[in-house]
Amino acid sequence: MADNNILNDQEQTKVADDSFDTAGFLLDYASHWRWVIASVVVCLVAAYFYISTIVPVYQVNASIYLNNSESQSKDAFSLDPNSPLIAMKSYIDETELEVLKSRNNVIEIVNSLGMAYSYWREGTLRDEPIYEQYAVSASLDSISLSVLSSPITVTVDNGSEKEKFDIEVSTSFQGVSEVQSFDDASLPIDIELSHGTLTLARVSQVPELVGTEKIIIRNPREVAGMLSAGLDIQFAEKSPTIVRIAYSTTTPKQGVDVINTLVDFYNRQIIEDKNRSAVQTEAFILDRLVMINDELRDVEQRLQDYRQAHNIANFDQQVSTNIATQTSTENQLAQIEAELQMMSTIESIIRQADVYTNVPSVTSETALTSIIEAYNKRVNQLNRMLETSTPDNPLVAQLQEELTRDKARILQNIAAVRQSLEARRRSVASIENRSAAQLSSVAPIDKGLQEIFREQQVKVNIYTFLLQKREEIALQKTLATPTARLIDNPLVNGAPISPRKAINYFIALLLGLGLPAAWIFVRRFFFPTFKDQEELQRLTQVPVICEICLDYNKDNRAIVVGEDVSTSIAELFRLLRNNIRFTKNGAAKKVILVTSSISGEGKTFVASNLAVTYALANKRVLVAGMDIRRPMLAHTFGFDNHKGATTFLSGQTHDLEDVIYQSKESPNLYVLPAGPVPPNPNELLLSDNMKEMMAQMRAKFDVVILDTAPIGLISDSFLIVPYTDVQLYVARASYSSKNALKTLHEAVRLNRLPDAYIVLNGVNMATGRYNYRKYGHYNTGGSHSYGYGYTSDTLKTVTPPTAK
């Protein structure tokens, strides 16, 4: 056994699966540089067409300042300049941001800007959006538009005459397609659809129709959903008063209008929230004014009738003074009674369990008014929060708890105010009693007149009081100001956010580079083969003695070596012969065994051509077909397989010369066919005739080359190994599996192949990685395969398959 072929246990188990062959992968990748370039070009072209077919999406940005300063609007019944205002931050929290872009608000924007109708101009690769500069407009009545179940597509093109148009309308109704076409139609035109009546009209501001316009009509709610998805509203970092708004749109000018309209609608809604309490109080006052006005009219009529009935003209000064005093007290009592009545009204509203509604603040008590206003603010905030949240929301529950506490405070203050009013009423009542006593001497007629007069004055005072409060509320509504103000007007980013050309081209470049790499990786993972000697040497410690290239001459010959042949493949077989000679004790290595792991790796091809090279070197050479299960050697040299090695081993002949033929390739080359396939191959190889046959071969020939069976399939070759001096294991580039090396390593480890070398067959040296090694006819280009593997005995000629 040769020392240089002894592998330790660690080396014997080294196979391709142990680690990823990075160097081999990179070399394989570089050898396919044409594929890489083609892949990059294809991906970049695909990216170009992708970018060309996608409508650019732009982002419109704006910033809103939330006014936290006190508003100039006033409370319902106070013109106090120090009155607290509703700060914007109390309205805008995380829930308020959702309200800001809620579907109801967005639908108002859609209806205001007519976004249910989108206009496009047809292009070669993509349609371009049109905003405000379309030549033909479409309209559908609001009811039909609100129940639109599927989009309506209208295509408008120029007709054969000026101001004549070819129109096509397509939609579907209840799953049934509906298409209508009109040639050379005049505008305006009404088109009856299942969805309703569609009206198309000419836009006078645009002089002519350029190209083909397309109008897409959608349900406003569907458009609102798309608009809401494109809105991004967030508080600025570390700032509770700045809100950033970003809107993604294919039409930048429309995006600017959307943001401006959104802010306008929101400010309008905030003002309505601020004035909601004032509106309710105003309604209460108007109801009271109507009632007092009717009562005052009745009193005046009674006074007039009383004067006429009793012929009364004037009163003296004393009566007037007493009446004035009593009237004053009665006015005070009436005002106290009115406030007590209001306290009862407020109390009845507050005591409604689990009901939170705005409470009128018609009271002269400043503390109670302040508490009621704070309560009304929280009620407004709760109502807005419930628009986008459920009652189970923790924020809603917390706010309801605060409102419950406010109710308790209001009831406590009402009780205190009622006590104060009761005390005032008792005091004023005592004054009124004294005045009444002084008037007791007045004649009954005068007394009746004064009672009517006093009642009249009370009604007038109450009426005047209510009129004053109504004016204060009107002033408050007039002074209510917006709380959101644009500090950065909507601005369109210069470059579109989608598609981003640089990123798309970069991804296409990476994809173009990555697809070949992925293909190579998958191929190497699922089909783990090796391509050349360098890659094979990284996978095994068994020496690779030579590599045989493909036959580039394309002549379909199984024997590629000849006396006057100097092709690259012939020279490599000569190199293999010399390499065997220069191995340790190479001159003494007379019997050469050629095997492989599986069929198709070219062991017969290598054995045959190696034998020819020895014969051309004036050596008496015998090439023997010892693959007695699937013989092929005879067909390679053009002999039949009717007799051969199995004939001698089975004892049918005792003269080896009877089964040996001289080859026409060289007078020094002799061929021993395998012979007929026996029923007991193993027993024949173990027989004494085998020893005798090998002894005669050694005695009669300078070199004996044995074409044996693959060691990965059967054990026949291991029975022949003891008669050999060197073992050549043939592997085929881009064909043999890396895992097949396990068979070789195991055989070497168990000393079944004591002096083994690897011959790498079928190497494609026309690839880029072999440019530096070309010589002779390597650069003739192309690739050619040769005979290898097994065939049946019925084959008379060899048609070598193409190497993969």
Side-chain angles (χ1 to χ4, degrees), residues 440-724:
S440 60
S441 59
V442 179
I445 295 177
D446 291 339
K447 183 177 181 181
L449 179 62
Q450 298 305 322
E451 289 177 353
I452 297 174
F453 183 75
R454 286 196 300 271
E455 184 178 356
Q456 179 190 33
Q457 292 300 316
V458 169
K459 301 299 182 182
V460 169
N461 291 335
I462 295 176
Y463 190 81
T464 303
F465 172 77
L466 293 176
L467 285 176
Q468 179 184 358
K469 295 305 178 182
R470 187 184 67 175
E471 293 302 319
E472 292 177 1
I473 291 174
L475 182 60
Q476 174 187 344
K477 292 168 61 177
T478 303
L479 295 178
T481 58
T483 52
R485 177 169 58 88
L486 282 170
I487 56 174
D488 285 334
N489 291 329
L491 179 65
V492 182
N493 287 341
I497 61 173
S498 174
R500 297 187 176 181
K501 293 184 179 180
I503 294 178
N504 280 276
Y505 282 127
F506 180 71
I507 293 175
L509 178 61
L510 292 182
L511 192 62
L513 295 173
L515 285 178
W519 178 83
I520 292 173
F521 176 81
V522 171
R523 188 195 64 184
R524 292 171 69 90
F525 182 80
F526 289 101
F527 306 98
T529 61
F530 35 83
K531 290 182 175 295
D532 56 20
Q533 180 176 344
E534 293 181 1
E535 188 173 357
L536 178 59
Q537 285 176 335
R538 290 193 293 269
L539 304 174
T540 181
Q541 293 297 319
V542 179
V544 181
I545 195 171
C546 186
E547 56 182 347
I548 306 299
C549 71
L550 296 173
D551 184 6
Y552 299 103
N553 294 321
K554 302 181 180 179
D555 51 10
N556 291 327
R557 293 185 300 113
I559 303 301
V560 297
V561 178
E563 184 174 0
D564 297 325
V565 177
S566 60
T567 61
S568 57
I569 190 171
E571 294 299 328
L572 287 174
F573 273 109
R574 294 184 178 97
L575 177 63
L576 173 60
R577 179 193 63 194
N578 296 333
N579 287 345
I580 295 174
R581 179 184 176 187
F582 287 106
T583 59
K584 187 175 182 181
N585 299 322
K589 293 176 179 179
K590 188 173 186 177
V591 180
I592 303 171
L593 180 145
V594 182
T595 186
S596 63
S597 290
I598 58 175
S599 62
E601 292 176 311
K603 63 177 182 58
T604 302
F605 173 77
V606 171
S608 301
N609 285 277
L610 180 60
V612 174
T613 60
Y614 275 107
L616 294 177
N618 294 321
K619 299 289 184 180
R620 182 177 172 82
V621 183
L622 173 66
V623 55
M626 298 307 295
D627 186 356
I628 60 179
R629 296 178 187 264
R630 299 187 63 185
M632 185 177 175
L633 184 66
H635 303 295
T636 301
F637 287 94
F639 300 112
D640 59 47
N641 202 45
H642 294 158
K643 60 180 181 178
T646 56
T647 305
F648 184 87
L649 293 175
S650 61
Q652 298 180 30
T653 180
H654 298 287
D655 188 358
L656 189 61
E657 296 290 344
D658 291 343
V659 293
I660 293 178
Y661 305 93
Q662 187 177 24
S663 171
K664 62 182 180 179
E665 303 294 336
S666 172
N668 295 325
L669 178 61
Y670 296 86
V671 179
L672 172 61
V677 178
N680 56 346
N682 246 241
E683 287 74 8
L684 290 181
L685 296 176
L686 289 171
S687 66
D688 292 336
N689 289 338
M690 179 65 183
K691 296 179 182 178
E692 177 64 23
M693 184 178 70
M694 294 304 302
Q696 291 188 34
M697 288 181 181
R698 281 184 177 273
K700 296 179 179 181
F701 297 95
D702 298 327
V703 178
V704 178
I705 299 176
L706 305 179
D707 176 24
T708 63
I711 61 175
L713 302 176
I714 52 180
S715 61
D716 292 359
S717 298
F718 295 128
L719 301 177
I720 304 175
V721 168
Y723 303 104
T724 63

Side-chain angles (χ1 to χ4, degrees), residues 315-385:
F315 295 94
D316 56 21
Q317 185 66 30
Q318 182 180 0
V319 172
S320 298
T321 302
N322 290 333
I323 291 175
T325 301
Q326 191 165 4
T327 300
S328 175
T329 57
E330 289 178 351
N331 287 340
Q332 295 181 38
L333 287 173
Q335 184 174 354
I336 292 172
E337 290 293 339
E339 293 206 19
L340 286 173
Q341 184 180 359
M342 179 55 64
M343 293 299 106
S344 299
T345 302
I346 295 174
E347 185 176 14
S348 64
I349 295 174
I350 292 297
R351 288 190 181 278
Q352 296 180 20
D354 298 331
V355 175
Y356 305 101
T357 183
N358 284 284
V359 177
S361 58
V362 185
T363 174
S364 60
E365 295 295 330
T366 304
L368 180 58
T369 299
S370 176
I371 296 174
I372 291 176
E373 288 171 353
Y375 172 80
N376 288 338
K377 294 175 186 177
R378 286 195 175 92
V379 169
N380 291 336
Q381 189 175 1
L382 175 63
N383 292 334
R384 290 180 57 76
M385 191 175 295

Side-chain angles (χ1 to χ4, degrees), residues 10-11 29 54 89 146 198 221 244 259 282 359 421 429 476 501 528 544 610 650 656 660 675 680 731 739 785:
Q10 181 178 4
E11 292 170 340
Y29 184 82
I54 298 298
K89 187 63 182 72
S146 62
L198 174 65
R221 290 190 172 274
R244 307 289 190 193
I259 292 181
E282 184 180 33
V359 177
L421 291 175
Q476 174 187 344
K501 293 184 179 180
V544 181
L610 180 60
S650 61
L656 189 61
I660 293 178
N680 56 346
N739 292 328
S785 59

